[in-house]
Amino acid sequence: MSYEPPRPARRLLLTPEDNEAPARTRRLRRLGLGERPEPALDAFADRIAGLIGAAYAMVNFIGEERQFFAGLCAPGAWPTTKADGTRPHVDRCLPRDHGFCPHVVVRRKALVLDDVCDYPRFACNPVVDEYGIRSYLGAPFMDSTGIVLGTVCAVDAEPRRWGKAGLETIKSMAADLGAEIALREEIPEL
């Protein structure tokens, strides 16, 4: 008989339970959000990247099983190279357990990770290895009913200090988007 030591956990990160996900998903459907790319939200993501000086930025709607980047600023491919020598495609859809935005939605407050590898809870997330993400800055945005619909976020392939200015900017952008969505409800042609 031989002793086999227990295998270390492959991933330390557990995506938090999201009790609001069903209500959020219904709300997103009613608002017509989170199912297709939107040029206005792409422009919003471009503005986030420009204001913060980030390589990539997103407007991310979080559903029950997946996340959808209805707004995306991702010039070129992600910085990592896969085993077959190709670079990962910048897709608008990720499983719910990828990335950091699901944590922001459940926490209902901003998250700043200057270097995701400094946080064992986040360092093993699939986006670190698959996409080369090393820093994250995100904030939740809400609709007029108080449901968190998703996040606005910025990511980079290098560790970086987002600082207080970055945090205040991302929180302000999230509030602006929440107000814009509320205005869309009042004036649907927007």
Side-chain angles (χ1 to χ4, degrees):
M1 180 192 265
S2 66
Y3 172 75
E4 188 174 321
R7 292 182 178 178
R10 185 183 172 308
R11 293 176 54 203
L12 298 175
L13 173 87
L14 294 176
T15 304
E17 187 173 336
D18 186 355
N19 296 325
E20 282 189 356
R24 177 182 319 104
T25 301
R26 288 189 301 274
R27 185 72 174 137
L28 288 170
R29 281 190 197 118
R30 277 196 296 274
L31 293 169
L33 295 169
E35 293 296 323
R36 67 188 180 292
E38 294 194 25
L41 295 178
D42 283 343
F44 196 88
D46 287 343
R47 198 165 67 220
I48 292 168
L51 287 170
I52 294 177
Y56 310 98
M58 298 92 170
V59 174
N60 190 6
F61 293 105
I62 313 288
E64 291 180 78
E65 301 297 323
R66 70 180 181 106
Q67 0 182 5
F68 183 78
F69 303 123
L72 178 64
C73 172
W78 295 102
T80 59
T81 303
K82 296 194 286 187
D84 65 3
T86 63
R87 291 188 180 265
H89 173 68
V90 178
D91 198 1
R92 289 192 182 253
C93 205
L94 281 177
R96 193 175 162 279
D97 67 344
H98 281 51
F100 314 108
C101 291
H103 294 267
V104 172
V105 167
V106 171
R107 290 165 36 114
R108 300 180 68 90
K109 62 182 183 177
L111 177 62
V112 179
L113 301 171
D114 294 335
D115 185 344
V116 299
C117 294
D118 287 345
Y119 303 87
R121 176 178 185 192
F122 296 112
C124 294
N125 192 283
V127 298
V128 175
D129 292 331
E130 293 174 28
Y131 295 94
I133 302 303
R134 286 294 302 272
S135 56
Y136 173 88
L137 175 65
F141 61 90
M142 295 170 214
D143 71 356
S144 59
T145 69
I147 292 176
V148 176
L149 297 177
T151 65
V152 294
C153 67
V155 298
D156 214 316
E158 300 294 327
R160 61 176 291 170
R161 300 212 37 87
W162 298 105
K164 186 173 180 167
L167 176 61
E168 293 305 317
T169 300
I170 203 76
K171 288 167 60 177
S172 174
M173 295 299 288
D176 290 351
L177 184 58
E180 190 175 307
I181 289 172
L183 192 58
R184 277 187 187 190
E185 279 188 275
E186 292 176 28
I187 309 169
E189 57 273 7
L190 289 178

